[in-house]
Amino acid sequence: MNTPTEPRVNNHCSIFDFEQSWYDLLNDAEKKLIDEHSVSLTFKKGETVCKQGAFASHIYFLEEGLVKVYLEERNNSLILTLSTNHSLLGLPSIFEGNNKLPYSISTYTESKIRMIDIQIFKQLLKQNPEFSYRIISILNESTAQIYGRFFSLTQKQLHGRLADILLCMATRIFKNNTFELPLSRADLGDLTGMSTESVIRMMKEFKDDGLIDTQCKNIVLLDVDRLERISQFG
Amino acid sequence: MNTPTEPRVNNHCSIFDFEQSWYDLLNDAEKKLIDEHSVSLTFKKGETVCKQGAFASHIYFLEEGLVKVYLEERNNSLILTLSTNHSLLGLPSIFEGNNKLPYSISTYTESKIRMIDIQIFKQLLKQNPEFSYRIISILNESTAQIYGRFFSLTQKQLHGRLADILLCMATRIFKNNTFELPLSRADLGDLTGMSTESVIRMMKEFKDDGLIDTQCKNIVLLDVDRLERISQFG
DNA sequence: TAGAAAAACTGATGCGAATCAGTTAATTTT
DNA sequence: AAAATTAACTGATTCGCATCAGTTTTTCTA
């Protein structure tokens, strides 16, 4: 078969969910090094984990919780990704010649984050090629997702973008078509690159069309097939 | 000084210009391996180097020329980056679990591209940590650039986006405020996420305002300062 | 539990930018 | 060098979506 099947990669989705383990690729001494040079902190809902532009001092391993990774400049904010359990964040600051964080991170729910000393992390990358190969793989998965979002936000219109994000929530975060949204309508706006009012209007429209059901934060996806067609910009 | 100065990274710019060498980090045997498992091909202007969705078989090293790296879907096309001499392309397809190219590449000018067997490349990554560390660094530089473009295309309006791309051309590609544009107005549209007509209209507006001078493909930036202010969305 | 603050929602209005429908200029092609 | 094709340009029109200016509901706080 020559025609490639449509990739089942959720290219509109903005949520990482690596099952790719990196810790297991370290030997005992290396694991010890990580353990000794990292601390696990608990962040409350809404707290800022790190700020774009600050000097990068840590790699963040999200042990538990839900966070947003976003760009901010002036009054504008653009959410790059939502990340859940077992995500490794802050990797893009490993870049010779620049040691600033390229993005900010803040929490949506209470989150347990292990903060790993970036120098130690870099040292391990330089000494363990299996490990750094895995990190490359992780970086590339995240890049693929960003590309999908980039395409979605620049080429689709509101309907498609909102459908994208709703599907994403159900499939990747809650693994259920019924869920309680931990983000505000304004956050949904930042995620989809639309105004808060438009988010509300589109949600209402989806509700009127029987695609979803909403009661404030509680969302139910009623017609996933049609949402997927909308996402694909029909 | 606590207040971080505005990063001088050209965050709106879409052109890579790594001076980061990777080849030198290989030992003689490894260099030989690359040499034996790569060929250098010349692509004519406008030719397609690789297609998004195809199985990734090579890493591409752009020895000379100017290419676009872009996403395509349906009739839409989004240029991720322009790349010039010494860029390493195709790296994002190094990702366990997926071996498809995440983007297409085609040439704007005649280009000399060394095609390196991806299996060999992966093998070297797994055996030479200095090398893979450098690749991580290269990947992250490119990610930083994509973030900048992502922000530009989703948060700025036409004026800013066009200013971005013009400044980018002058600074990064031609290293001169006078240059002959190798891309069509439609390509500029794909780069800036705007319609061809809007590109033309904005160019005319910039010309009328004395910001630039144009004669079809020949462009002169007259007032870089003001262009930069426009880029910064004042 | 009342009061304050924030988030959710609604409708009217206006503008940025795409689309459409052309013309003119610049390249190719033969 | 003429014809054909492609790219550059122009103006009129349309519409998607942001913005503004509110009201209502929910959540936080005292």
Side-chain angles (χ1 to χ4, degrees):
Chain A
M1 194 168 100
N2 281 329
T3 318
T5 51
E6 195 67 16
R8 211 47 223 115
V9 182
N10 232 335
N11 80 337
H12 53 265
C13 194
S14 57
I15 285 101
F16 296 158
D17 189 20
F18 306 129
E19 294 307 332
Q20 299 188 50
S21 166
W22 49 273
Y23 191 73
D24 293 344
L25 295 174
L26 302 174
N27 66 34
D28 289 345
E30 290 167 339
K31 282 178 182 166
K32 188 153 170 268
L33 208 57
I34 289 267
D35 294 346
E36 282 172 354
H37 291 86
S38 69
V39 285
S40 181
L41 297 182
T42 301
F43 289 83
K44 285 198 285 283
K45 177 182 168 167
E47 275 192 299
T48 300
V49 178
C50 63
K51 283 286 281 184
Q52 176 178 356
F55 288 112
S57 52
H58 297 89
I59 296 296
Y60 306 92
F61 181 60
L62 179 55
E63 299 181 323
E64 217 186 308
L66 178 65
V67 305
K68 65 171 169 182
V69 176
Y70 61 105
L71 303 178
E72 45 182 341
E73 211 161 293
R74 260 151 267 276
N75 297 321
N76 298 2
S77 159
L78 169 68
I79 298 179
L80 291 170
T81 63
L82 299 189
S83 293
T84 44
N85 299 359
H86 312 313
S87 297
L88 205 49
L89 303 171
L91 292 175
S93 46
I94 299 172
F95 155 37
E96 290 161 33
N98 188 11
N99 45 5
K100 308 249 183 72
L101 275 162
Y103 48 59
S104 300
I105 303 176
S106 75
T107 58
Y108 279 129
T109 61
E110 180 173 303
S111 300
K112 238 170 74 190
I113 297 177
R114 180 163 293 277
M115 301 176 71
I116 305 164
D117 186 293
I118 198 168
Q119 296 309 332
I120 297 295
F121 200 92
K122 285 181 177 178
Q123 179 190 322
L124 295 183
L125 285 175
K126 282 180 181 158
Q127 73 185 43
N128 183 335
E130 293 287 337
F131 173 61
S132 53
Y133 186 82
R134 178 61 53 85
I135 297 301
I136 289 175
S137 182
I138 289 174
L139 280 170
N140 285 340
E141 175 164 6
S142 108
T143 298
Q145 300 237 22
I146 297 281
Y147 286 175
R149 261 179 74 60
F150 199 173
F151 190 88
S152 172
L153 289 205
T154 55
Q155 311 287 324
K156 295 183 187 180
Q157 50 200 43
L158 299 200
H159 311 254
R161 289 189 243 157
L162 186 63
D164 278 355
I165 223 63
L166 289 174
L167 288 168
C168 193
M169 296 286 175
T171 339
R172 297 291 206 104
I173 308 208
F174 300 101
K175 298 172 197 334
N176 194 316
N177 286 339
T178 304
F179 53 87
E180 195 189 324
L181 200 70
L183 4 177
S184 69
R185 302 295 196 252
D187 285 317
L188 282 181
D190 285 343
L191 259 174
T192 50
M194 59 207 259
S195 70
T196 311
E197 295 92 326
S198 292
V199 171
I200 292 163
R201 261 184 276 271
M202 291 292 343
M203 296 266 282
K204 186 181 147 69
E205 202 174 299
F206 280 10
K207 192 178 179 180
D208 290 347
D209 290 357
L211 293 166
I212 62 174
D213 197 19
T214 65
Q215 276 180 59
C216 208
K217 300 275 186 196
N218 298 295
I219 313 249
V220 185
L221 305 197
L222 297 172
D223 193 339
V224 173
D225 281 359
R226 243 164 87 217
L227 280 173
E228 269 170 354
R229 256 175 284 136
I230 290 171
S231 143
Q232 280 165 41
F233 201 33
Chain B
M1 195 168 99
N2 281 328
T3 316
T5 51
E6 194 67 15
R8 211 45 224 116
V9 181
N10 230 334
N11 80 340
H12 54 265
C13 194
S14 57
I15 283 100
F16 296 158
D17 190 19
F18 306 128
E19 294 306 333
Q20 298 188 49
S21 166
W22 48 275
Y23 190 73
D24 294 343
L25 295 175
L26 303 174
N27 65 34
D28 289 346
E30 290 167 338
K31 283 180 182 164
K32 188 155 170 267
L33 207 58
I34 288 268
D35 294 345
E36 283 171 355
H37 291 87
S38 70
V39 285
S40 180
L41 298 182
T42 301
F43 289 84
K44 285 198 284 282
K45 177 184 167 165
E47 275 191 299
T48 300
V49 177
C50 63
K51 284 287 278 184
Q52 177 178 356
F55 288 112
S57 52
H58 298 89
I59 296 296
Y60 305 92
F61 181 61
L62 180 54
E63 298 181 324
E64 218 187 307
L66 178 65
V67 305
K68 65 171 168 181
V69 176
Y70 60 106
L71 303 177
E72 46 183 340
E73 213 161 289
R74 260 152 265 277
N75 298 320
N76 298 4
S77 160
L78 169 68
I79 298 179
L80 291 171
T81 63
L82 300 188
S83 293
T84 43
N85 300 359
H86 313 311
S87 296
L88 206 48
L89 304 171
L91 292 175
S93 46
I94 299 172
F95 156 37
E96 288 161 35
N98 188 11
N99 44 6
K100 308 249 184 72
L101 276 161
Y103 47 60
S104 300
I105 303 176
S106 75
T107 60
Y108 278 129
T109 62
E110 181 172 303
S111 301
K112 239 169 73 187
I113 297 177
R114 180 163 293 276
M115 301 175 72
I116 305 165
D117 186 295
I118 200 169
Q119 296 309 333
I120 297 295
F121 200 92
K122 285 182 178 177
Q123 180 190 322
L124 294 183
L125 285 175
K126 281 179 183 161
Q127 73 184 45
N128 183 336
E130 293 287 336
F131 174 60
S132 52
Y133 187 82
R134 178 61 53 87
I135 296 301
I136 288 175
S137 182
I138 290 174
L139 280 170
N140 284 340
E141 175 163 7
S142 109
T143 298
Q145 300 238 19
I146 297 280
Y147 286 175
R149 263 178 72 60
F150 199 173
F151 191 87
S152 171
L153 290 205
T154 55
Q155 311 286 326
K156 294 183 187 179
Q157 49 200 44
L158 300 200
H159 311 252
R161 289 189 243 157
L162 186 63
D164 278 354
I165 223 62
L166 289 173
L167 287 168
C168 191
M169 296 284 174
T171 339
R172 297 290 207 106
I173 308 207
F174 299 102
K175 297 169 197 335
N176 195 314
N177 285 339
T178 304
F179 53 87
E180 196 190 322
L181 200 71
L183 2 179
S184 69
R185 302 296 196 252
D187 284 316
L188 281 182
D190 286 343
L191 260 173
T192 50
M194 58 207 261
S195 71
T196 311
E197 294 93 326
S198 292
V199 172
I200 292 164
R201 261 184 277 270
M202 290 294 342
M203 296 267 281
K204 185 181 149 65
E205 202 174 298
F206 280 11
K207 192 178 180 178
D208 291 347
D209 290 356
L211 293 166
I212 61 172
D213 198 20
T214 65
Q215 277 182 57
C216 209
K217 300 276 185 193
N218 298 296
I219 313 249
V220 185
L221 304 197
L222 297 173
D223 193 339
V224 172
D225 282 359
R226 244 164 86 218
L227 281 173
E228 269 170 356
R229 255 176 285 136
I230 291 173
S231 143
Q232 279 165 42
F233 200 33

